[in-house]
Amino acid sequence: MDLTLNVVVFQLNSNDDELITAAAPAQAHDSVRQAWQQAERERQIQSSDVTRVHSTWQPTDTDRNFLAATFPEAGHTHVFERPEGDDWTDALEHARRVMDEVENIKLRERGEEMFRQAERVGEWLPILHSVSEPLPFSASLPLVEGKLYFGFARVTTTPDGRIGMSHLTRSKFEAMSAEEIEELALEALGNVKSGLNFKVAPDAELGTLATMERDGPCVASAILLDDFHEKCAEQVGEDRLVVGLISPDHILIAGAGSGQVEDIRQAVLTSPDTGTELVPCLLLIDADTIEVVAERPR
């Protein structure tokens, strides 16, 4: 939010769905009047329809007179007090600190709501994470010792596309029986497999490049499936595979002897993904082993 602007919201007919927003320089002595002129140009409205005016900055005496004359029945509110004099340095700094704190609160509340939603309706999925040793508080099992681990989480996707997770804690995992762990693993792996499909791009010169997709997040966790190697080997025509985990939702697969290997390596090393505990990495996989051969710098 640009705090050097005075953003003014005009509510019409006491209706929260009828809001017109305009802006003018905050330090202008008539910024509310300028904002109203902008609103009038953009939409045919009458001043008598305005029932509330809300601005970022406290109106000046000039604007208070304008509000009283133009919207005599409307309520007036503002967020920040206007500084006395022409030096806005402290006022702008204070406003920025307040807005940063408000944004942090919103992010925290959104994260908490996504966590609660995941708890309520999320599906169990295995979650990959790149660490040198098991996580201290979440369930963390080795896939490649000292490099790549996995745990479990309830996962949901919000309507705006954000991913919410509620991780299985280490204490809860350690309290589970062997039968309960097996049941959880089967459910989580079954969920990963649901909606999973290949896209294959044959190339006579470089060899086949395959990608995996699923109807939901965490496609990279498919490497945990017991038939992952077999299915991928069928697609690319080689037993030894190079698998690039570009992000939890983006995976590239080719034969280890193909000409696609260097392109996959570069995709891993230059991956922009920074939003998860999985560091983009390059895996060498055969029927019996998984090896981490490269990682993007952390």
Side-chain angles (χ1 to χ4, degrees):
M1 181 177 180
D2 185 353
L3 291 167
T4 64
L5 292 176
N6 190 19
V7 178
V8 185
V9 180
F10 302 94
Q11 182 190 51
L12 306 181
N13 305 310
S14 300
N15 188 340
D16 287 340
D17 294 327
E18 289 191 72
L19 303 176
I20 300 175
T21 302
Q27 297 184 48
H29 69 93
D30 63 343
S31 61
V32 175
R33 182 183 64 82
Q34 290 185 41
W36 173 245
Q37 290 176 336
Q38 180 189 128
E40 283 186 305
R41 287 194 300 269
E42 295 177 358
R43 182 171 167 181
Q44 292 184 343
I45 50 177
Q46 302 297 319
S47 60
S48 58
D49 294 332
V50 176
T51 50
R52 185 168 67 92
V53 180
H54 179 74
S55 58
T56 305
W57 292 97
Q58 178 187 27
T60 62
D61 289 341
T62 299
D63 271 334
R64 277 195 288 270
N65 292 333
F66 168 76
L67 288 166
T70 310
F71 315 108
E73 304 298 325
H76 314 135
T77 56
H78 62 270
V79 181
F80 299 113
E81 298 296 315
R82 178 175 290 271
E84 296 182 3
D86 297 328
D87 187 354
W88 282 61
T89 304
D90 291 343
L92 288 170
E93 180 59 30
H94 169 72
R96 290 190 184 99
R97 288 198 302 269
V98 171
M99 295 306 295
D100 287 345
E101 180 60 26
V102 168
E103 184 60 27
N104 288 336
I105 291 171
K106 287 181 179 179
L107 288 172
R108 186 164 60 247
E109 290 177 345
R110 185 163 56 199
E112 290 171 353
E113 174 53 32
M114 290 169 64
F115 174 86
R116 289 191 292 268
Q117 182 175 336
E119 283 281 291
R120 292 193 304 268
V121 300
E123 63 176 356
W124 281 111
L125 291 173
I127 307 297
L128 297 171
H129 45 270
S130 305
V131 288
S132 58
E133 58 186 25
L135 296 174
F137 302 114
S138 298
S140 188
L141 304 170
L143 183 60
V144 179
E145 194 76 48
K147 290 283 189 179
L148 190 59
Y149 291 74
F150 70 96
F152 299 94
R154 286 193 178 275
V155 182
T156 186
T157 304
T158 64
D160 62 356
R162 296 178 183 273
I163 305 299
M165 288 190 187
S166 173
H167 289 270
L168 177 65
T169 63
R170 185 172 184 173
S171 59
K172 287 185 178 180
F173 179 77
E174 291 175 347
M176 295 170 67
S177 67
E179 291 78 10
E180 288 171 330
I181 293 173
E182 181 180 5
E183 182 179 343
L184 170 62
L186 288 173
E187 179 180 348
L189 292 171
N191 289 335
V192 169
K193 186 173 286 190
S194 176
L196 198 64
N197 61 79
F198 283 96
K199 282 191 175 181
V200 179
D203 187 306
E205 181 179 352
L206 297 178
T208 298
L209 177 68
T211 62
M212 294 187 83
E213 297 179 348
R214 72 176 295 265
D215 299 328
C218 303
V219 68
S221 298
I223 65 172
L224 295 163
L225 296 172
D226 57 6
D227 61 352
F228 175 82
H229 170 265
E230 178 185 353
K231 296 293 186 183
C232 293
E234 290 176 1
Q235 297 293 329
V236 302
E238 288 191 41
D239 184 66
R240 298 187 77 219
L241 307 172
V242 163
V243 177
L245 304 184
I246 314 303
S247 77
D249 303 312
H250 186 193
I251 181 171
L252 298 174
I253 306 148
S258 77
Q260 301 283 2
V261 173
E262 186 56 31
D263 285 345
I264 296 177
R265 179 190 295 271
Q266 288 305 312
V268 165
L269 297 179
T270 60
S271 170
D273 184 72
T274 58
T276 70
E277 293 173 332
L278 175 64
V279 176
C281 57
L282 188 70
L283 308 179
L284 183 63
I285 299 179
D286 60 26
D288 301 312
T289 60
I290 298 178
E291 179 183 354
V292 177
V293 294
E295 280 187 329
R296 189 200 62 195
R298 303 190 184 207

